[in-house]
Amino acid sequence: MHQQTLTLPERGRGLYDITDTLRSEVRAAGVSMGLCHAFLLHTSASLVIQENADPDVLVDLETWFSRAVPDGDPSYRHVEEGPDDMPAHIRAALTQPSVTVPIVDGGLALGT
């Protein structure tokens, strides 16, 4: 078992690939078989596992989220932190704060 707290750079809204960061942690931990569990403490951010072979997947996801959860919706009551904060909370509620990925032969068992 290995536990590590990571601090990721603040980059604003978007979908960011942290696979290499997690791969490095698994290698550094020397775990050959097990589970990599990643959990975010931030309440308006989330983790998803998505395809990275075609960048259009992430563009389409962001487009969908922008339509489904628009900034500045007048029905939002939580507005003190800006017009994009409540949408970020809703997006996080629609996704998840954690993911668990199997570790096989010392690496993350992910697809394309």
Side-chain angles (χ1 to χ4, degrees):
M1 178 182 269
H2 173 80
Q3 183 174 344
Q4 180 67 41
T5 299
L6 303 175
T7 301
L8 300 173
E10 185 177 321
R11 296 186 250 180
R13 178 184 310 177
L15 298 163
Y16 302 103
D17 187 355
I18 63 165
T19 309
D20 288 341
T21 301
L22 296 179
R23 279 190 178 121
S24 294
E25 282 301 318
V26 168
R27 273 194 301 274
V31 176
S32 61
M33 182 176 70
L35 297 172
C36 174
H37 182 76
F39 175 78
L40 279 175
L41 296 173
H42 200 292
T43 60
S44 60
S46 60
L47 295 167
V48 295
I49 296 176
Q50 285 296 324
E51 175 181 315
N52 199 30
D54 182 353
D56 285 340
V57 171
L58 299 182
V59 171
D60 288 345
L61 278 171
E62 184 57 44
T63 299
W64 185 87
F65 274 120
S66 292
R67 278 197 320 262
V69 190
D71 288 352
D73 186 317
S75 68
Y76 302 149
R77 294 177 62 177
H78 175 69
V79 296
E80 291 81 25
E81 297 176 63
D84 63 341
D85 188 54
M86 191 60 221
H89 285 286
I90 295 170
R91 291 172 184 213
L94 292 172
T95 52
Q96 59 225 2
S98 67
V99 295
T100 301
V101 180
I103 299 170
V104 177
D105 295 328
L108 297 174
L110 292 168
T112 302

